[in-house]
Amino acid sequence: TKRISKPKRLSPILWIWISLGISVALHAVGVLANSIVGDMKWAHEPFHSFVETSGATIGLAVAGLLLIMSRLGRGTDFNVPLAFGLIAMSLLDGLHAVVHTGHSFVWLHSTATFAGGVLFAMVWLPVRYRQRSLLITGIACGALTLLGISTFIVPELLPAMIKKGHFTPAAIFLNVGGGLLMIAATVRLAMAYRQTRNRDDLLFAVHCLLFGGAAVMFEQSQLWDFSWWWWHGLRLAAYAVAFVFAVISLIHLQREVQGHRDELEDAHKTARAEADDRMRELTALRSAMDNHTLFSIADRAGKIIDVNSGFCKISGYTREELIGMDHRLLNSGHHSKTFWKDMWRTISSGKPWRADVCNRAKDGSLYWVDSTNIPQFGPDGKIERY
């Protein structure tokens, strides 16, 4: 025989460098291309709205999936902050997509980036805060979303976002600051992947880096220039990466559910076969008892609830006549009251009782039986029947 060696799998660290290298390369291509094309601009609000709305829709869908995965113990180790980061960004990007170019236009986009950065960076929260992550990130998501939509409530209180066709320091701070926070989240997710080898951690590390790099590139762009469109493309790519996560997770979940379903069906078939075997054994045992022994079952009060055919045959009573009666129906009067009191004292204490008993049949004839009375206990530990 010839031993066949399995192909070596790439190490987690190598996967991290490959994934992050591709992300960095995409940003470098954008910077280089922008320096080549110069001042070329293409102002097209409908297409811009389409790009932003598509990303926002995907982001909300993935956020919902992340929260579901959090309940199921699946996905990344940081489902909640990533989900709320996507919710805040998607809501604000969606509003950004439907307003015309101006201060609100840039403000909504900038606060979306900053909100995403703050919430994504919460993956650095200490473990002791993980149980409260839903509350903490939920409050932060609401506050940052409210900050974004304040442009419709108190626009006069907000800083200017555009001045003479260029972005103001406030706009640059929100975008670059949010981008750096996203890159910080990338580092934490890459560290988690190195420890757990959970591919979802690596996938969202790439997701955060694409978002973060696009935000940092904001400082180099102007409205509608090549760099502007490039980082919009990178943001859409980041949403696409999250969408890939959603699809892959759903596929894995479907396969897992199908696997569990197959296991349950197999277990059901096995249990059914075993139950059929036990039923055949019980049927054979019951048949043997009917032919060779007499038995009856009484409740804890002594009322008969079942008898076999042998019992009916020797007593002369039908099953219908015996059900609901007690054994005094068969009392021959041969035994003393002390005899029966001893029986009840023994079986009510949970012990079996055995004696030769003289009974009277329906036709008045007497017959003797070697009688054994055995208590049966219920789930509560109390005697249920005899």
Side-chain angles (χ1 to χ4, degrees):
T1 58
K2 182 179 178 180
R3 184 176 182 180
I4 301 174
S5 59
K6 295 182 179 180
K8 295 183 178 180
R9 299 179 63 180
L10 294 178
S11 69
I13 297 177
L14 187 55
W15 270 118
I16 291 172
W17 283 111
I18 291 174
S19 303
L20 301 185
I22 293 173
S23 303
V24 172
L26 289 173
H27 296 298
V29 169
V31 173
L32 179 62
N34 186 59
S35 64
I36 295 173
V37 297
D39 296 331
M40 184 189 74
K41 291 187 178 182
W42 182 51
H44 200 292
E45 286 191 358
F47 183 74
H48 168 267
S49 296
F50 168 76
V51 171
E52 292 288 0
T53 304
S54 299
T57 303
I58 295 172
L60 288 174
V62 176
L65 182 62
L66 279 170
L67 292 176
I68 293 173
M69 290 294 178
S70 180
R71 296 292 300 272
L72 298 176
R74 299 288 300 275
T76 75
D77 295 325
F78 315 98
N79 289 332
V80 173
L82 293 173
F84 278 106
L86 285 170
I87 290 172
M89 290 189 69
S90 299
L91 291 175
L92 295 174
D93 276 341
L95 292 172
H96 161 69
V98 297
V99 299
H100 292 294
T101 305
H103 292 295
S104 294
F105 180 82
V106 180
W107 171 259
L108 287 166
H109 176 83
S110 302
T111 52
T113 302
F114 185 74
V118 171
L119 290 162
F120 286 170
M122 286 186 176
V123 298
W124 284 96
L125 281 175
V127 176
R128 63 178 178 274
Y129 293 114
R130 293 282 176 83
Q131 294 181 343
R132 303 179 186 176
S133 61
L134 188 64
L135 176 64
I136 295 172
T137 52
I139 293 174
C141 177
L144 291 165
T145 304
L146 183 62
L147 175 66
I149 63 176
S150 62
T151 187
F152 304 116
I153 305 171
V154 286
E156 67 279 359
L157 298 180
L158 303 179
M161 294 283 104
I162 306 174
K163 188 174 183 180
K164 297 181 180 180
H166 295 276
F167 298 118
T168 65
I172 294 172
F173 168 79
L174 290 173
N175 282 275
V176 176
L180 293 176
L181 289 171
M182 291 176 183
I183 293 173
T186 300
V187 174
R188 182 67 184 91
L189 288 163
M191 291 169 57
Y193 174 69
R194 182 181 177 184
Q195 294 173 349
T196 65
R197 299 198 181 190
N198 183 347
R199 288 179 299 177
D200 296 333
D201 289 332
L202 179 61
L203 199 62
F204 269 93
V206 175
H207 168 82
C208 289
L209 186 61
L210 287 172
F211 266 135
V216 172
M217 284 179 64
F218 180 89
E219 192 271 336
Q220 303 173 8
S221 66
Q222 298 180 24
L223 282 175
W224 311 117
D225 68 359
F226 178 86
S227 184
W228 161 275
W229 286 110
W230 184 258
W231 57 255
H232 268 78
L234 291 181
R235 284 171 70 93
L236 185 59
Y239 280 121
V241 167
F243 182 71
V244 169
F245 157 79
V247 173
I248 292 175
S249 296
L250 284 175
I251 292 173
H252 285 316
L253 187 60
Q254 183 182 16
R255 288 176 179 172
E256 185 175 322
V257 170
Q258 185 61 46
H260 288 317
R261 182 177 179 180
D262 293 340
E263 290 176 1
L264 288 174
E265 288 180 354
D266 291 341
H268 174 72
K269 290 178 181 178
T270 302
R272 183 64 181 269
E274 291 178 353
D276 290 341
D277 290 341
R278 299 292 86 76
M279 184 58 68
R280 284 191 292 269
E281 292 175 2
L282 288 173
T283 301
L285 181 61
R286 179 68 181 258
S287 177
M289 293 180 68
D290 284 344
N291 285 295
H292 299 286
T293 63
L294 323 174
F295 80 86
S296 66
I297 302 176
D299 61 19
R300 67 178 67 184
K303 299 293 183 182
I304 298 172
I305 59 177
D306 194 16
V307 293
N308 74 337
S309 59
F311 193 101
C312 295
K313 183 177 180 180
I314 196 171
S315 69
Y317 290 97
T318 65
R319 187 173 186 276
E320 290 72 21
E321 290 175 318
L322 291 168
I323 298 299
M325 304 298 292
D326 59 39
H327 286 82
R328 282 195 291 264
L329 179 66
L330 308 174
N331 193 341
S332 64
H334 178 79
H335 304 285
S336 66
K337 291 184 178 181
T338 303
F339 178 87
W340 296 115
K341 287 181 179 179
D342 176 66
M343 180 202 73
W344 276 107
R345 183 169 56 251
T346 301
I347 62 176
S348 61
S349 67
K351 301 177 181 178
W353 176 87
R354 181 176 180 179
D356 291 331
V357 178
C358 180
N359 286 337
R360 185 180 300 278
K362 185 177 181 180
D363 62 5
S365 62
L366 301 179
Y367 63 92
W368 286 83
V369 289
D370 178 8
S371 178
T372 302
N373 199 329
I374 303 173
Q376 180 181 343
F377 296 89
D380 58 358
K382 297 180 180 180
I383 295 175
E384 191 174 60
R385 59 185 62 181
Y386 301 102

